[in-house]
Amino acid sequence: MGTINRHRLVHAIRGDLIRQQRYQIITIAAAITLIYIGIFYFIPGASQDKVVQFLIFNDPVALGMLFTGAVYLFEKSENTLEAFAVTPLRAAEYLGAKVITFSLLGLAASLAMALAAWGLQFNALPLGIGITLTASLFTMLGVVIVVGTRSFNEYVIKIGLWMVPVALPLLDFFGIFKSYWFYLIPVQPTLLLLQASRESIAPWQMTYAIVYLMVWNILAFRWALHRLHEKEGFY
């Protein structure tokens, strides 16, 4: 995996932010956040929490998967990845820059939505932990899926196939179907942490949610690195 060089990582983060703005990713993310905030005002009070939590959950997932893939494909078409492969930049630093920038973007958008919907009447700690770990996880899964993909349309199809089983815990979240098997899917801990931002959950659920998301982040990081080594020639 190699050692992450702080100077190279900071340089990679700066470059990522520049490219994201050039590709209008940051602008689009801000626009989507404003649209979600506008939706809040049309939601009846009785169902607002669930819908707001779902939209907050959806934001880092979309940023992590859809936008990460879009940026990667832009970089691929502009031969940026080929240039990276012959520089001192390591795969861990390239991936780390993506994780940091998209996690911060997802966190900022989610906090803006939470403040718009609830004011200061929410617990920012579980929300922040849940969104940050979820955005980083789905950013890395986005890299796993997009590496080797030839077009954005093909990537969207792959995302759809992935998200069908991954989204199953939403059935429990909306009270449609309950199963403890959903606790094996890494979306379940995110939904629990979002729930904890507005109400108390059991201590074991909080522990499970944080630890399980961290474990999945570690696994996804190693998986994404392997894909970058295998397909893009990163060291």
Side-chain angles (χ1 to χ4, degrees), residues 172 179-185 188-189 192 204-205 208 212:
D172 184 10
S179 172
Y180 283 107
W181 288 107
F182 293 156
Y183 278 75
L184 296 175
I185 302 173
Q188 181 70 21
L192 285 173
W204 72 266
Q205 289 179 311
Y208 147 79
Y212 200 53

Side-chain angles (χ1 to χ4, degrees), residues 94-113:
Y94 170 83
L95 183 59
K98 291 279 187 292
V99 167
I100 290 169
T101 54
F102 279 113
S103 295
L104 289 175
L105 189 57
L107 181 60
S110 299
L111 286 175
M113 286 190 282

Side-chain angles (χ1 to χ4, degrees), residues 147-182:
V147 169
T149 300
R150 292 164 294 183
S151 69
F152 186 71
N153 288 340
E154 180 184 345
Y155 180 60
V156 170
I157 292 171
K158 286 184 178 181
I159 289 177
L161 294 174
W162 270 65
M163 288 307 295
V164 170
V166 169
L168 286 175
L170 289 171
L171 295 174
D172 184 10
F173 181 71
F174 286 110
I176 299 170
F177 180 75
K178 185 177 181 65
S179 172
Y180 283 107
W181 288 107
F182 293 156

Side-chain angles (χ1 to χ4, degrees), residues 11-63:
H11 185 74
I13 291 171
R14 187 183 302 117
D16 251 34
L17 290 172
I18 291 171
R19 284 190 298 278
Q20 286 173 22
Q21 185 55 45
R22 188 169 76 235
Y23 302 146
Q24 300 298 308
I25 298 297
I26 296 175
T27 302
I28 294 170
I32 292 172
T33 300
L34 290 174
I35 291 170
Y36 283 171
I37 289 173
I39 292 172
F40 298 162
Y41 294 98
F42 298 96
I43 302 171
S47 60
Q48 189 184 67
D49 270 10
K50 286 291 186 183
V51 176
V52 171
Q53 288 166 8
F54 170 72
L55 292 176
I56 290 175
F57 157 78
N58 187 65
D59 202 69
V61 172
L63 284 171

Side-chain angles (χ1 to χ4, degrees), residues 133-149:
L133 290 176
T134 301
S136 62
L137 172 60
F138 279 89
T139 295
M140 291 183 283
L141 291 178
V143 171
V144 169
I145 298 169
V146 77
V147 169
T149 300

